[in-house]
Every structure is written in C-alpha cells, then in structure tokens.
Amino acid sequence: MEGLDEVSAREQHFHSQVRESTICFLLFAILYIVSYFIITRYKRKSDEQEDEDAIVNRISLFLCTFTLAVSAGAVLLLPFSIISNEILLSFPHSYYIQWLNGSLIHGLWNLASLFSNLCLFVLMPFAFFFLESEGFAGLKKGLRARILETLVMLLLLALLILGMVWVASALVDKDAASRESLYDLWEFYLPYLYSCVSLMGCLLLLLCTPVGLSRMFAIMGQLLVKPAILEDLDEQMYIVALEEEALQRRLIGLSSSVDYNVMELEQELENVKIFKTKLERRKKASAWERNLVYPAVMVLLLIETSISVILVACNILCLLVDETAMPKGTRGPGIGNASLSAFGFVGAALEIILIFYLMVSSVVGFYSLRFFGDFIPKKDDTTMTKIIGNCVSLLVLSSALPVMSRTLGLHKLHLSRAPRESDAAKPSANGHQKVL
C-alpha cells in the first residue's frame, strides 16, 4: 500500500508539473503574440530589407518582443495573484479551479523573475550590441563576425559591471564574507544586481507617477470631446481652414524647382488636413458623448487619484507611527487563506484598478519627462535602437511595480509556495519561504 501511495503521489506531482508548464506556456504565448503586433505597429518599415541587416533586425525584433512580453507578464502577475486569491476563497472546493493554486502562481513569479534577469542582463544588451556590431577588422564580414563581436562586448560589459559591484562592496562593507559572496553568481550576485535595478525602478516610478497623474487629465482632455462650454470647435475649424488655404496658395506660388520647400509645405499641409479631419470627427460627436462621457471620465480620474493619494498617505502614516505595520518576512496570510481587503472581492477589484492606474500613470509620466521625451515611439517610424530602449525602460518599470505597490500599501499579499503532499516530509533547503 505504501508503494502504491508513493506512485500515486509521484503521478500527481508529474501531472501538476505538466499542467503548470502548459498553462505558463499558453499565457506567455498570448503575451508574446500581442507584444509582436505592438512592436511591428511602431517598427520602421524601411528596416525590412532582405540582406544581412534584415536578419539582424529580425533577431533583435524577436528579442524585443520577448522582453516586452516579460514586462507585460510582470505587470499582470500582481493583479492575477490578487484575483486568484479571491477566487480561491470564494470557491475553495470547486473542481474547475483546481489548476489555480499557490504552486502555479509561485511558479509564475519565479519565471517572471528569471526571465526579467535574462532579458535585462543578457538579451537586451545582446540585441543592442548585435544591432550595432560590424565585425572585427581583419575578419570576414558576416553574421558570425557580428556574433563574435557581440559576445566579446557582452563579456567585457559583464566583467566591468562585476568589477564595479565588487569594488563598491569592498569599499562599503569591509567584511570578507560579503565580498566572497559576490563570487556566487547565481545565488547572490544576480539577485543582488536585480534588486539594485528594482530600487532604481522604484525611484523612477516615484518620480514619474506624480507627473503622470497630472498629465492624465490633459491627455484625456485631448482624446475626449469636451462640452461646448469648454471648447469652441467652430473657431478651431475656421482657423484650420484659413491655414489650409494659405498653404495651398503658397504651394501654387512656389516654383517647381524648389523641391525642398515644396516637400516641406506638402508635409505641413498634410498635417493640417489630418488635424482638420480630427476636428470634423469631434464636431460630429453626439450630445451624450460630449456632455456625459467627458465629465464622467474626469470625475473617475479624480476619484482614482484621490483614493491612491489617501491610501499612500495612510500607509506612510502607519509606517511612521506603528512599528508593527512594517513588512516582516512571511508574516501574514498566504494565497487562498484570507481576503486581502475588508471589502472582499470589491476591495480586491479596487486594488487591481488602482495598480493598473498607477502603472499607466507612471508610463505616461516617464514619457512626459524631458530627458525621456525622445523615447516616445512613433507609428511605422521607430528604429530598432529606440525600440530596445523602450523595452528596457518598460522592463525596469514593471519589475519595480510589485515592490512599489507593497511599499505604498496597495496590497498585502504574501506569496508563499503551498507544499504538496509529496513534499510535506521534505525539509526546506534554506529554512524559510519566499515572500512577495
């Protein structure tokens, strides 16, 4: 009987591993396909020539798509974990959600962390150096020469970063054990380096989010049709019509030999016509869209911003006054054990909305900063170098989102892996559980 029980436990463990791997693959495949369509929408079409550079651009495109999919997965994992916790609490014994368990979510977080490290320290530097490489002098030109140069540059970059971190650790902490721990590349160095990147991402989020919160109102005001009391479309249409007529007269009066001025005026006229088309579309908006949608969206943005500020202020006040409010290890409920909010499913949904709102605001604030303004992608006119920069920026912001959400008190989910029956008798390797 004991042998049958052991075989049954091993079969259950095998089936659960296959199920989790299949679910992870399907989720990532969906994110990869969506990311591919997003990048190809902004990628410059002139880069699609059939030569060696086209192969390099295609490889860089696949690496950027993989990185963008990982960034999207890192953003979606936190809301997915919160909603999974509430579903497990609502239907604890349902047969149809047996696949949704702590082991699956823990595995997703581990994969997100692993792929984030891989993209940040390997794939994106490789894509950039591979895109800029030409091959060493004296070697035969081709893909092999470019790959060799890229690998050498990656090795030099890795040695440079490793040396800088080792020297910094030696200067700050003179303990020999801390310096020797940097030789442990997999268990200490990469997690430590990724934590530093997450810290920089948190600082960047704290800088971009307030800017994005203020910019969201202006952006929504440009996208939505304002009421007649706030916007005079007839006056704007009259001004645009005058500009279009003036440009057409200048084009007629110019000589055909002045090619540069003609092309410049034609481009300006095309922009004016596009703006005129947008104004005509806005003018045809219904009264409901004009007088109801705009105030409702603005009130919703104001409510979300106010709730976010109030929650952050309350959490900061609790951290300053109450010492027990500090995060301490694995304290607190794991997934599927207790609700994260006093309002149950409604409170969890509100937290998810706020997390998405803060992420969108941080991205808007990032592109609104003067230093990162050139990173804004343009449809069908974005170079691969700029796409790589955008993917790296989004990866850094997404990796810092769970840390910032936890720090600001937007969620209190402690993700500890639920032990299986076959693992119940096995001691932990490091004596503690991982915590989100």
Side-chain angles (χ1 to χ4, degrees), residues 42-283:
Y42 291 98
K43 180 177 177 295
R44 179 178 291 177
K45 303 303 180 182
S46 60
D47 293 338
E48 297 179 355
Q49 63 273 17
E50 293 297 331
D51 53 7
E52 179 183 316
D53 291 334
I55 299 176
V56 174
N57 284 328
R58 196 174 297 117
I59 294 175
S60 301
L61 174 65
F62 292 151
L63 296 180
C64 291
T65 305
F66 185 87
T67 303
L68 186 60
V70 172
S71 304
V75 172
L76 295 175
L77 265 181
L78 185 56
F80 180 76
S81 302
I82 295 175
I83 199 67
S84 299
N85 180 74
E86 300 301 326
I87 291 176
L88 290 174
L89 286 175
S90 302
F91 309 98
H93 304 293
S94 176
Y95 172 78
Y96 298 100
I97 60 170
Q98 292 299 316
W99 58 274
L100 188 63
N101 49 37
S103 177
L104 171 64
I105 298 175
H106 188 275
L108 289 173
W109 277 103
N110 284 340
L111 288 176
S113 177
L114 174 64
F115 287 157
S116 297
N117 281 286
L118 181 65
C119 294
L120 194 59
F121 302 119
V122 179
L123 298 185
M124 285 295 94
F126 178 85
F128 177 76
F129 290 129
F130 191 46
L131 196 65
E132 300 294 330
S133 64
E134 296 180 357
F136 290 112
L139 296 178
K140 184 179 180 180
K141 300 298 182 180
L143 287 178
R144 291 185 178 181
R146 300 181 73 162
I147 292 175
L148 179 61
E149 180 183 354
T150 303
L151 293 178
V152 172
M153 293 298 297
L154 282 178
L155 180 60
L156 294 177
L157 179 63
L159 291 177
L160 177 63
I161 296 177
L162 180 62
M164 291 175 59
V165 175
W166 197 89
V167 170
S169 176
L171 292 176
V172 175
D173 191 356
K174 298 182 179 181
D175 188 8
S178 64
R179 294 195 298 270
E180 291 177 358
S181 62
L182 288 175
Y183 292 112
D184 194 350
L185 184 65
W186 186 258
E187 294 291 336
F188 182 83
Y189 180 73
L190 281 181
Y192 174 74
L193 195 59
Y194 187 69
S195 299
C196 295
V197 174
S198 296
L199 175 60
M200 291 188 294
C202 284
L203 297 178
L204 186 61
L205 278 178
L206 293 176
L207 176 65
C208 297
T209 304
V211 179
L213 291 176
S214 61
R215 283 285 299 166
M216 287 292 289
F217 292 91
I219 292 177
M220 296 308 295
Q222 295 174 359
L223 296 177
L224 299 177
V225 181
K226 298 180 181 179
I229 193 175
L230 299 177
E231 185 180 37
D232 190 357
L233 291 178
D234 294 331
E235 182 179 356
Q236 295 185 23
M237 289 285 296
Y238 179 72
I239 295 175
V240 169
L242 290 179
E243 291 181 357
E244 182 180 6
E245 184 178 355
L247 288 173
Q248 290 176 350
R249 289 181 177 178
R250 290 179 62 184
L251 280 174
I252 296 174
L254 282 177
S255 174
S256 60
S257 60
V258 190
D259 295 334
Y260 177 77
N261 291 335
V262 171
M263 293 178 59
E264 185 178 356
L265 287 176
E266 287 179 351
Q267 182 64 34
E268 189 175 353
L269 180 61
E270 184 67 23
N271 295 333
V272 170
K273 289 182 178 180
I274 293 175
F275 184 64
K276 182 180 179 181
T277 304
K278 293 180 179 180
L279 287 179
E280 291 176 351
R281 191 181 301 115
R282 292 166 69 91
K283 189 175 181 180

